[in-house]
Amino acid sequence: MRRDSVVGGLLVLVCGLQACQMDAPQEGVSDAELCTFRASARVEQILAGMTLEDKVGEMTQMTLDVLCVGENHKAEEPHRIDSVRLDSAFAISKIGSVLNSAGHSYPTEQWRALIGEIQAASMEAKGIPTLYGIDAIHGATYTYGAALGPQQLALAATWDTALVRVMAEGTAKEIVACGIPWNFAPVLDVGRDPRWPRFWETFGEDPKLVGDMGEAMVRGFQEGEVKVAATLKHYLGYSTPWSGKDRTPAYIPERQLRDIFLPPFAQAVRAGALSVMVNSGEMNGIPTHANRFVLTDLLRGELGFDGVAVTDWEDIRYLKSRHKVAATHKDAIRMAILAGIDMSMVPQDWEFPVLLKELVEEGAIAEARIDLSVRRILTLKERLGLLDQGGEALPAMLTDSERLALEAAPAQAAMECITLLKNEHDVLPIASSANVFVSGPTANSLNALNGGWSGTWQGKNPKYNNPGRKTAVEALRDEFGRSRVQFEELESMDFNDQDIRRVASALRRSRPDVALLFLGEMPYTEFMGNIGDLRLADNQLDLVRAVRETGTPVVAVFVEGRPRTFSQVESDLDGVVMAYLAGDFAGPAIAKVLSGSHNPSGKLPFSWPREASSHTTYDRKHTEKHYSARPQYAFGSGLSYSPVQTTALRLLNEGNVVLGDTLRIEVDLANTGDRPTNEVVMAFVQDRVASITPSVDKLKAYKRVLVDAGATMTVPLRVPTAELGFIGTDLDYVVEPGTFGLRVQQQTLEFELN
Ligand code: GLC
């Protein structure tokens, strides 16, 4: 797996930084690492004044629970700081970072009180402010009353990177007002396996879309009016465990790793991402937290990342207790630090700094290696302005109007992501005069609409739902009028045949014009969402059948973070809508799409499997053409109420295309309906013959455009020929001359690349 990093060697030759004046390479500190790092004079000065305890403490991150009043890491309500624990954490353990809430969301004021105490203790004990991190992955998830937007998979369905950036800017404002400058987002794992319980935390299955969305989110966090540090996670190879279950082994050959999974991280590093969080799992038998090739040779030597690499939750200790690659916790620490870890998200015991100090004193780890990580951590704090503020000064709170203004982007994203996948007999949109019957287990739950990381880790507790948000059925009542919406509740996912009969009887009595069934899943994240079968729950399949038997037109609305298969009843459905986990504003968005107030524009960022056990991604190989490889709904699919046809495709490059040229593409569109339509024009390329088996399709460009009712328009797209390549047998990126196909919808052409 290991490749000598040419880049690392070159760096040794070209750089003359102070850190390079090492007499001999130190254990675990490559010249490439030392030479690529530039610390400011201020950071060097702080470092020079630090003891070894200070340094190993700076590399220690603890969770808020352990600083609060309470027992066994269960904070006592109301969550408040335990002054003895606080003092011990900073005066004795000298920790450098704190993360998380102590179990649920807090109002901004409570955050500011908690973090104000913490910063004062850190300044008192160390003269260095602590770095506070949080998972604000779809808005400020742990700030009560904040604007929760769509989860990443839904954001990807908007294909609107500009909107994603604006939403991230808003999240930055909300968490900074709490005193939190470090956000553990975006997830850049490529979602290739819909069984994986964190599929909805990804931007979907295509590396280009994932990379573009990730870059937009990083820039939104780091370049907006208010800045926070982004965290690229979970580096690397986390999203395709062989079993589909979270944190189980992945087997990813280096060629695929470089071709599919690495590019989004590389793109985000180029965009200036300030931190990376490491994958808790293992690849090819090597836990990523102990994988020096991934954490140093690739991340530092090839990607040139100079930010902070933080572990995921307790993952150094897990090298011993889960992965069994270390006989002791101390050896696990040695392995992880020498692999390239800068900060340990310990986060609930006090051994890490003590054992790390011993390792340095025993010569198992060079102090120069510790200095390298401390430089990176202090530089991160410096880049966030923490060293200027002195830590105590918390940024200004948001006014009510400022906070209200932050709802616009997530609400717009919720509207843009809803994806219409089937619309037989124009069952949709529903006429305003229609009588609507609503049922299904996700019809009346804000928690279902938000998913995990919403108020609490698993997102299940309605107590921490933000006030004033509407469930789907509440929003439908607003949209159609209460008298026109009959709701037959199914309060649990485990509803039974008797419940189904009750729903069918109620439907027959109400004789509606259409039945809406809200299906899918209730919230989960990580291993809590592991499943044994991607097929939709049997009771939901039975519910569809029972409603179909009444003869009422029926529309399924999926509220879920992954495409559960339902081919057994797909033909029973007149309409299918994917609502993903679209956040606090999903209810009104769904209602407006169903009523036609909003013309749906979402496009699937993944391939919806037809059968649970025969999933392929859209960029499958030519040998994967068996019937079952055909998805239920294709990557990029999504209908509107006013269809846009692709009427022509042109390549403007004269004659043969030469490597180094840019493909100049023109696509003609015609909106044949009576409404303006937001369309996403997607250009796919097919390499006809290549030295690695080519994919049947590869997304190379896309653009969102608004096509007015009845209008035609020409859309220009550009594809640099340098992007027509792939990782070859020698593990290097290569573009091979030859014949290529170009496709936009059903329009195709061919060109020669010389
Ligand atoms: C979790 C997740 C990670 C998150 C971290 C801190 O285990 O894997 O995505 O950022 O812990 O909450």
Side-chain angles (χ1 to χ4, degrees), residues 138 147-151 154 407 409-419 442-443 445-451 468-476 479 518 557-560 577-594 598:
H138 66 118
L148 293 189
Q151 298 282 3
E407 296 183 1
Q412 176 63 20
M415 203 74 82
E416 289 189 8
C417 74
I418 307 298
T419 306
T442 60
S445 164
L446 187 65
N447 298 79
L449 295 175
N450 268 310
R469 313 306 194 205
K470 305 270 187 180
T471 66
V473 69
E474 289 166 348
L476 285 164
E479 186 73 12
F518 285 81
V557 180
F558 287 96
V559 178
E560 56 188 15
V577 173
M578 178 55 157
Y580 308 94
L581 303 175
D584 267 349
F585 309 99
I590 294 166
K592 291 185 181 315
V593 164
L594 293 174
H598 177 77

Side-chain angles (χ1 to χ4, degrees), residues 61 99-100 134-135 137 142 184-185 187 198 201 231 233-234 238 246-247 277-278 280 311-315 345 453 457 525-527:
Q61 180 183 64
L99 84 145
N100 233 349
I134 201 88
D135 292 277
I137 68 168
Y142 287 114
F184 301 141
V187 167
R198 305 189 75 175
E201 295 184 58
T231 310
K233 70 184 193 181
H234 306 75
Y238 179 43
D246 188 35
R247 291 175 163 88
M277 186 182 292
V278 177
S280 305
T311 73
D312 200 341
W313 191 276
E314 203 168 333
D315 274 314
M345 183 189 298
W453 305 100
W457 175 46
T525 184
E526 303 190 46
F527 52 87

Side-chain angles (χ1 to χ4, degrees), residues 26-27 51-53 55-56 59 330 333-334 337-338 352-371 374:
Q26 298 282 335
E27 172 54 37
T51 64
L52 182 56
E53 286 88 351
K55 294 175 185 178
V56 297
M59 297 166 68
K330 186 171 183 178
I333 294 171
R334 184 189 59 78
I337 299 301
L338 294 186
F352 173 76
V354 174
L355 295 177
L356 182 52
K357 177 170 177 285
E358 287 177 14
L359 285 163
V360 176
E361 288 164 343
E362 294 158 8
I365 295 179
E367 186 156 0
R369 173 63 190 83
I370 302 300
D371 290 350
V374 174

Side-chain angles (χ1 to χ4, degrees), residues 218-509:
V218 165
R219 294 191 185 280
F221 289 145
Q222 297 190 176
E223 298 174 13
E225 187 187 329
V226 174
K227 296 167 176 55
V228 299
T231 310
L232 309 183
K233 70 184 193 181
H234 306 75
Y235 179 79
L236 181 62
Y238 179 43
S239 55
T240 51
W242 178 257
S243 70
K245 293 176 174 59
D246 188 35
R247 291 175 163 88
T248 58
Y251 304 96
I252 308 175
E254 186 176 343
R255 201 195 70 74
Q256 273 80 349
L257 190 71
R258 289 174 176 277
D259 202 42
I260 295 170
F261 301 99
L262 187 61
F265 286 92
Q267 184 171 346
V269 167
R270 290 195 298 272
L274 294 174
S275 72
V276 155
M277 186 182 292
V278 177
N279 160 19
S280 305
E282 62 162 88
M283 271 190 288
N284 312 320
I286 305 172
T288 314
H289 281 81
N291 191 328
R292 183 173 171 81
F293 166 71
V294 170
L295 296 183
T296 295
D297 299 352
L298 261 185
L299 183 63
R300 308 289 179 180
E302 290 192 35
L303 268 54
F305 177 65
D306 72 356
V308 171
V310 62
T311 73
D312 200 341
W313 191 276
E314 203 168 333
D315 274 314
I316 291 182
R317 200 175 263 288
Y318 289 149
L319 290 175
K320 170 181 180 288
S321 59
R322 275 186 183 164
H323 295 289
K324 316 289 184 190
V325 294
T328 64
H329 182 202
K330 186 171 183 178
D331 199 40
I333 294 171
R334 184 189 59 78
M335 293 171 77
I337 299 301
L338 294 186
I341 292 294
D342 293 315
M343 180 182 283
S344 173
M345 183 189 298
V346 179
Q348 294 177 314
D349 75 79
W350 301 97
E351 272 196 348
F352 173 76
V354 174
L355 295 177
L356 182 52
K357 177 170 177 285
E358 287 177 14
L359 285 163
V360 176
E361 288 164 343
E362 294 158 8
I365 295 179
E367 186 156 0
R369 173 63 190 83
I370 302 300
D371 290 350
L372 182 59
S373 290
V374 174
R375 278 193 184 92
R376 289 171 178 152
I377 295 165
L378 292 176
T379 300
L380 177 54
K381 293 184 178 181
E382 182 180 50
R383 285 170 170 169
L384 290 169
L386 284 175
L387 302 186
D388 306 328
Q389 296 154 4
E392 294 100 338
L394 288 179
M397 282 191 61
L398 295 172
T399 64
D400 288 349
S401 59
E402 286 170 331
R403 164 168 271 189
L404 198 59
L406 297 181
E407 296 183 1
Q412 176 63 20
M415 203 74 82
E416 289 189 8
C417 74
I418 307 298
T419 306
L420 176 62
L421 293 166
K422 184 177 185 181
N423 190 17
E424 303 280 298
H425 327 303
D426 287 339
V427 66
L428 295 174
I430 300 169
S432 56
S433 59
N435 288 310
V436 182
F437 181 89
V438 179
S439 188
T442 60
N444 195 29
S445 164
L446 187 65
N447 298 79
L449 295 175
N450 268 310
W453 305 100
S454 305
T456 62
W457 175 46
Q458 291 294 314
K460 294 180 184 294
N461 192 336
K463 180 179 174 185
Y464 301 104
N465 288 350
N466 292 321
R469 313 306 194 205
K470 305 270 187 180
T471 66
V473 69
E474 289 166 348
L476 285 164
R477 283 175 172 147
D478 290 349
E479 186 73 12
F480 288 92
R482 191 174 187 82
S483 64
R484 293 195 176 283
V485 177
Q486 154 126 24
F487 176 44
E488 192 66 27
E489 184 137 25
L490 286 171
E491 286 167 348
S492 148
M493 295 306 278
D494 304 325
F495 59 90
N496 58 31
D497 290 346
Q498 186 179 346
D499 294 313
I500 293 172
R501 285 192 296 275
R502 167 171 58 86
V503 169
S505 311
L507 189 154
R508 284 193 174 88
R509 284 194 305 275

Side-chain angles (χ1 to χ4, degrees), residues 203-225:
F203 286 120
E205 73 185 38
D206 179 69
K208 175 176 177 54
L209 185 58
V210 170
D212 291 352
M213 286 282 165
E215 176 179 355
M217 194 168 265
V218 165
R219 294 191 185 280
F221 289 145
Q222 297 190 176
E223 298 174 13
E225 187 187 329

Side-chain angles (χ1 to χ4, degrees), residues 493-697:
M493 295 306 278
D494 304 325
F495 59 90
N496 58 31
D497 290 346
Q498 186 179 346
D499 294 313
I500 293 172
R501 285 192 296 275
R502 167 171 58 86
V503 169
S505 311
L507 189 154
R508 284 193 174 88
R509 284 194 305 275
S510 73
R511 301 170 60 78
D513 298 299
V514 63
L516 300 177
L517 295 182
F518 285 81
L519 307 175
E521 299 188 67
M522 292 307 277
Y524 58 81
T525 184
E526 303 190 46
F527 52 87
M528 313 282 270
N530 284 340
I531 50 175
D533 186 338
L534 189 59
R535 194 171 71 175
L536 187 67
D538 286 341
N539 60 352
Q540 295 187 38
L541 298 173
D542 292 341
L543 177 63
V544 171
R545 291 184 186 109
V547 169
R548 171 83 281 164
E549 280 164 19
T550 68
T552 307
V554 53
V555 174
V557 180
F558 287 96
V559 178
E560 56 188 15
R562 54 191 159 194
R564 306 303 295 266
T565 63
F566 63 103
S567 59
Q568 296 79 2
V569 299
E570 200 275 344
S571 58
D572 294 328
L573 294 166
D574 300 288
V576 174
V577 173
M578 178 55 157
Y580 308 94
L581 303 175
D584 267 349
F585 309 99
I590 294 166
K592 291 185 181 315
V593 164
L594 293 174
S595 73
S597 306
H598 177 77
N599 187 8
S601 60
K603 304 288 183 187
L604 289 184
F606 58 82
S607 309
W608 194 308
R610 181 177 298 276
E611 302 303 339
S613 57
S614 61
H615 174 57
T616 54
T617 47
Y618 87 92
D619 53 355
R620 59 182 170 79
K621 298 307 180 80
H622 289 277
T623 48
E624 293 175 299
K625 59 176 62 176
H626 181 269
Y627 155 81
S628 63
R630 198 158 48 83
Q632 190 73 64
Y633 304 111
F635 172 83
S637 57
L639 305 173
S640 87
Y641 294 138
S642 188
V644 169
Q645 307 301 327
T646 302
T647 54
L649 169 64
R650 289 180 295 281
L651 183 59
L652 304 183
N653 303 60
E654 288 82 27
N656 284 345
V657 178
V658 176
L659 186 53
D661 286 352
T662 292
L663 300 181
R664 292 181 291 112
I665 300 161
E666 278 189 347
V667 184
D668 290 349
L669 303 178
N671 181 343
T672 55
D674 58 0
R675 300 161 177 257
T677 295
N678 276 298
E679 184 62 19
V680 182
V681 182
M682 302 172 198
F684 295 86
V685 162
Q686 305 82 37
D687 195 340
R688 294 290 187 243
V689 176
S691 58
I692 291 287
T693 52
S695 295
V696 298
D697 244 351

